[in-house]
């Protein structure tokens, strides 16, 4: 198999060996990051094989031979184990205080995003709606709107050996920061004592309320000679969609969010050229009968690889419901990647820490500049992998240095999500201080990456285990869940760009661009939900059936 340097020596076919080595080096970094997202080696992943197929012509199988990432991480939202129960809780079989009270059975998520780009500036707006079914018969509806801004750029180069056919590859990257707000509504008004029946009734109420919110939002865009009258009629029509047991229009939980995302991608394409013979003499023509060289007519491209790293901070302030008066900070780090121009493959890892405080005490401590005292710690890790039919393509036309690009794609991805969670109630100052110090980076054992995982916490402790590992092992409610997920997506884009060429390498950016993306994802619990009982002889915590999770079945939507 030829090396990158070997290909580079064929100077008559493309760029120099140094240029090509640099190109392959950057591509390899992207590949290594994305392939590292694949699940353990004993599980076949479409992502890894797709990356290998795409990159094999460039740099050989070595680009895909990196080892699996050690530790847990990413995917979509997993199964929060909910509140715990005491020995007298009717939903704690056999009085086991280590069994979490509820689990996430199903989630429907819809996200719509619009991105506008002016030169190197990137601005986006998105709305995310989640409908979640829980095993205790309750349903939550969550809606968050977010705006973000940042910078983006791209670089492209010809592929050695494919110069005569117009083969090229390009790298792009962006960095954006955003903020958003929204709310969460809790539907638990139906309480018959049968969680399955309650789930069906509460889900119906949640769906009706979601339809009402959507219709009510549409009233904001009413226009005409008498907007006030039109607004009133519109709102009256929207009100007919309200459920019988409607919640307040104000959400039970106020949500604010900040996020930072760094993303990049690799695409491969073909440039089409004319023969340069227009029948007219042109400046620089050598024979007076035509132009010196072929004319660029346009291009077509396929997105080969893309990846993103995201850090989110979500603040949830509960005003009503079982967590009224609490404030929870949710810190999430996720890495995701997609591969394939025709068949799409996807992988992601997520690590999340949620810390809950008494809201009034937290606000006063913040005002007085005093240490905080958390009441609950939840650590969640998840990973997702899958593939499915889909395509992401683009086409462009050149007018001198200016290009007009049109892109789009769509498809379906079927994936599997594995989620683990550990919840610890901090009922004394020692535990509370240990968690706060760990979170803030104080003391001898600050929080680090990767986070301690619930599976590790179920094992017998080593002598060098830190305070958080010991807390999770001794007191944590540990759970494991698996989901099947189906994601339907589409996007469309239009851009006007400008490029500056230097040999085979060119720096390009968009003068203006707009892109719309829509994603609809459903995940449903599967497999055998389990939780870890209390420590047994030898220190290990056995995994057993999670009856509080299996007693209720998700309802298809």
């Amino acid at each position: 198999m030829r090396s990158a340097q070997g290909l580079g020596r064929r100077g008559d076919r493309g760029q120099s060996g140094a240029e090509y080595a640099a190109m392959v080096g950057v591509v390899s970094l992207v590949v290594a990051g994305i392939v590292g997202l694949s699940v353990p080696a004993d599980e076949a992943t479409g992502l890894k094989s797709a990356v290998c197929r795409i990159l094999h012509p460039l740099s050989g199988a070595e680009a895909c031979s990196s080892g699996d990432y050690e530790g847990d991480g990413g995917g979509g939202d997993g199964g929060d184990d909910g509140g715990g129960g005491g020995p007298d809780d009717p939903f704690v079989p056999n009085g086991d205080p280590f069994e979490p009270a509820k689990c996430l059975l199903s989630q429907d998520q819809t996200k719509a995003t619009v991105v506008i780009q002016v030169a190197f500036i990137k601005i986006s707006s998105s709305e995310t709606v989640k409908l979640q079914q829980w095993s205790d018969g309750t349903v939550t509806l969550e809606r968050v709107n977010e705006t973000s801004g940042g910078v983006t750029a791209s670089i492209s180069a010809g592929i050695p050996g494919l110069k005569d056919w117009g083969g090229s590859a390009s790298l792009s990257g962006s960095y954006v920061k955003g903020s958003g707000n929204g709310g969460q509504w809790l539907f638990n008004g139906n309480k018959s004592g049968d969680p399955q029946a309650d789930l069906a009734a509460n889900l119906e109420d949640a769906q009706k309320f979601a339809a009402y919110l959507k219709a009510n939002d549409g009233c904001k865009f009413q226009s005409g000679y008498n907007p006030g009258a039109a607004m009133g009629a519109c709102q009256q029509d929207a009100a007919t969609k309200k459920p019988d047991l409607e919640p307040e229009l104000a959400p039970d939980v106020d949500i604010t969010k900040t996020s930072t995302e760094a993303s990049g991608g690799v695409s491969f394409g073909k440039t089409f050229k004319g023969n340069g013979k227009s029948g007219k003499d042109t400046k620089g023509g050598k024979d007076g009968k035509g132009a010196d060289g072929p004319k660029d007519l346009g291009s077509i491209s396929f997105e080969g690889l893309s990846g993103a790293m995201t850090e989110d901070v979500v603040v949830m302030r509960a005003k009503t419901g079982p967590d009224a008066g609490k404030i929870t900070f949710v810190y999430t780090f996720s890495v995701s990647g997609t591969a394939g121009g025709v068949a799409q493959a996807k992988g992601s890892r997520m690590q999340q820490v949620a810390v809950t405080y008494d809201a009034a005490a937290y606000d006063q401590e913040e005002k007085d500049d005093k240490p905080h005292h958390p009441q609950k710690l939840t650590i969640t890790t998840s990973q997702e992998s899958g593939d499915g039919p889909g395509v992401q393509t683009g086409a462009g036309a050149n007018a001198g240095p200016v290009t007009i690009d049109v892109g789009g794609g769509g498809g379906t991805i079927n994936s599997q999500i594995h989620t683990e969670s550990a919840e610890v109630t901090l009922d004394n100052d020692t535990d509370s201080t240990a968690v706060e110090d760990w979170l803030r980076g104080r003391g001898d054992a600050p929080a680090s990456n990767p986070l301690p995982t619930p599976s590790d916490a179920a094992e017998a402790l080593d002598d060098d285990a830190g305070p958080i590992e010991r807390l999770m092992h001794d007191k944590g409610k540990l759970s494991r869940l698996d989901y099947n997920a189906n994601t339907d997506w589409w996007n469309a884009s239009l851009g006007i760009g400008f490029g500056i060429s230097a040999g085979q390498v060119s720096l390009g950016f968009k003068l203006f661009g707009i892109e719309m993306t829509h994603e609809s994802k459903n995940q449903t619990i599967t497999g055998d939900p389990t939780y870890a009982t209390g420590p047994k002889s030898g220190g290990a915590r056995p995994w057993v059936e999670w009856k509080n999770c299996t007693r209720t079945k998700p309802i298809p939507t």
Side-chain angles (χ1 to χ4, degrees):
M1 184 173 294
R2 291 174 295 181
S3 65
Q5 291 82 355
L7 284 172
R9 282 192 295 268
R10 301 172 68 178
D12 59 331
R13 285 187 153 190
Q15 67 213 85
S16 71
E19 289 175 319
Y20 182 71
M23 182 73 181
V24 171
V26 177
V27 172
S28 297
L29 288 176
V30 176
V31 174
I34 296 177
V35 173
L37 301 172
S38 59
V39 297
D42 57 342
E43 298 180 34
T45 64
L47 175 62
K48 189 169 184 177
S49 60
V51 172
C52 289
R53 288 196 301 271
I54 294 170
L55 270 247
H56 181 82
L58 282 179
S59 55
E62 298 86 7
C64 300
S65 62
S66 59
D68 289 323
Y69 176 90
E70 294 296 332
D72 284 292
D77 290 281
D80 180 0
D81 49 27
D88 298 327
D89 191 322
F91 294 138
V92 179
N94 304 316
D96 187 351
F98 286 97
E99 180 171 11
K102 66 177 181 178
C103 71
L104 178 66
L105 297 176
S106 176
Q107 174 176 281
D108 289 300
Q109 174 178 304
T110 301
K111 182 175 183 179
T113 304
V114 177
V115 178
I116 296 177
Q117 183 178 330
V118 180
F120 293 105
I121 305 301
K122 184 176 182 180
I123 303 170
S124 69
S125 175
S126 67
E127 180 184 68
T128 303
V129 178
K130 297 179 183 178
L131 185 64
Q132 299 174 315
Q133 302 179 34
W134 300 88
S135 62
D136 63 350
T138 61
V139 176
T140 53
L141 174 66
E142 181 179 306
R143 185 173 65 168
V144 174
N145 292 292
E146 185 175 6
T147 58
S148 61
V151 295
T152 183
S154 64
I155 187 171
S156 61
I159 299 177
L162 296 182
K163 178 183 177 183
D164 295 339
W165 292 271
S168 64
S170 64
L171 295 172
S172 62
S174 63
Y175 178 84
V176 296
K177 300 192 71 171
S179 62
N181 59 76
Q184 184 184 88
W185 290 264
L186 172 66
F187 295 81
N188 64 348
N190 298 281
K191 300 178 180 179
S192 66
D194 178 357
Q196 191 69 55
D198 292 342
L199 180 64
N202 288 326
L203 178 61
E204 183 178 0
D205 287 342
Q207 290 173 325
K208 288 181 178 179
F209 190 72
Y212 159 67
L213 289 178
K214 184 176 182 179
N216 199 49
D217 286 346
C219 295
K220 300 176 183 177
F221 302 100
Q222 288 287 339
S223 61
Y225 294 106
N226 192 348
M231 177 74 78
C234 180
Q235 290 178 334
Q236 289 178 7
D237 181 65
T240 62
K241 298 177 172 61
K242 289 183 179 180
D244 295 334
L245 294 175
E246 64 182 79
E248 296 292 332
L249 184 59
D252 298 285
V253 180
D254 283 333
I255 298 175
T256 56
K257 177 182 179 181
T258 59
S259 62
T260 302
E261 179 183 277
S263 61
V266 182
S267 62
F268 303 92
K270 174 179 173 58
T271 300
F272 297 94
K273 298 178 180 289
N275 58 18
K277 295 180 180 180
S278 61
K280 296 180 181 180
D281 192 5
T282 58
K283 222 175 212 184
K286 294 178 180 179
D287 56 6
K289 297 181 180 179
D292 280 342
K295 178 182 179 182
D296 286 343
L297 299 179
S299 62
I300 185 169
S301 64
F302 290 87
E303 182 176 281
L305 306 169
S306 64
M309 293 186 295
T310 305
E311 293 183 8
D312 294 335
V313 180
V314 174
V315 182
M316 306 181 71
R317 188 180 288 265
K319 301 182 297 183
T320 59
D323 292 324
K326 306 292 185 183
I327 183 171
T328 300
F329 292 81
V330 184
Y331 308 92
T332 305
F333 174 74
S334 59
V335 184
S336 61
T338 302
V342 178
Q344 297 284 309
K346 177 181 180 180
S348 63
R349 290 182 180 272
M350 182 271 288
Q351 298 181 111
Q352 184 182 89
V353 176
V355 188
T356 301
Y357 305 83
D358 177 84
Y362 180 91
D363 292 340
Q364 189 62 46
E365 291 162 354
E366 192 75 4
K367 181 179 179 180
D368 298 338
D369 196 24
K370 292 183 177 180
H372 300 299
H373 297 81
Q375 298 179 339
K376 185 171 71 173
L377 167 70
T378 304
I379 294 178
T380 303
T381 63
S382 72
Q383 63 182 25
E384 177 178 4
S385 63
D387 53 25
V391 63
Q392 179 68 55
T393 64
N398 299 333
V402 177
T403 62
I404 300 176
D405 297 304
V406 178
T412 299
I413 295 178
N414 297 308
S415 57
Q416 294 74 46
I417 303 172
H418 177 72
T419 297
E420 300 185 359
S421 186
E423 180 189 287
V424 183
T425 299
L426 308 174
D427 53 8
N428 61 74
D429 288 340
T430 300
D431 292 345
S432 181
T433 300
V435 168
E436 186 71 7
D437 287 348
W438 173 78
L439 185 66
R440 306 300 173 186
R442 298 189 291 257
D444 298 329
S448 61
N449 183 27
L451 292 172
T453 69
S455 284
D456 292 339
E459 302 295 330
L461 290 175
D462 296 329
D463 293 337
D464 60 349
I468 300 302
E469 286 83 358
R470 292 188 178 278
L471 194 58
M472 290 170 59
H473 176 271
D474 295 342
K475 299 182 179 181
K477 295 177 180 178
L478 312 178
S479 59
R480 300 193 298 199
L481 294 167
D482 291 292
Y483 298 89
N484 283 333
N486 178 275
T487 303
D488 292 321
W489 64 274
W490 62 264
N491 65 22
S493 64
L494 171 66
I496 300 174
F498 184 84
I500 303 174
S501 297
Q504 287 239 10
V505 179
S506 62
L507 177 65
F509 63 92
K510 288 183 180 179
L511 298 173
F512 174 80
I514 184 170
E515 180 178 1
M516 294 179 291
T517 303
H518 187 275
E519 181 179 284
S520 179
K521 180 177 182 178
N522 170 267
Q523 66 181 65
T524 305
I525 196 167
T526 185
D528 300 312
T530 56
Y531 79 97
T533 64
K536 304 300 182 183
S537 177
R541 297 181 56 179
W543 294 92
V544 299
E545 179 188 355
W546 187 358
K547 294 182 180 179
N548 281 346
C549 188
T550 57
R551 71 174 187 266
T552 313
K553 304 300 180 185
I555 299 174
T557 56

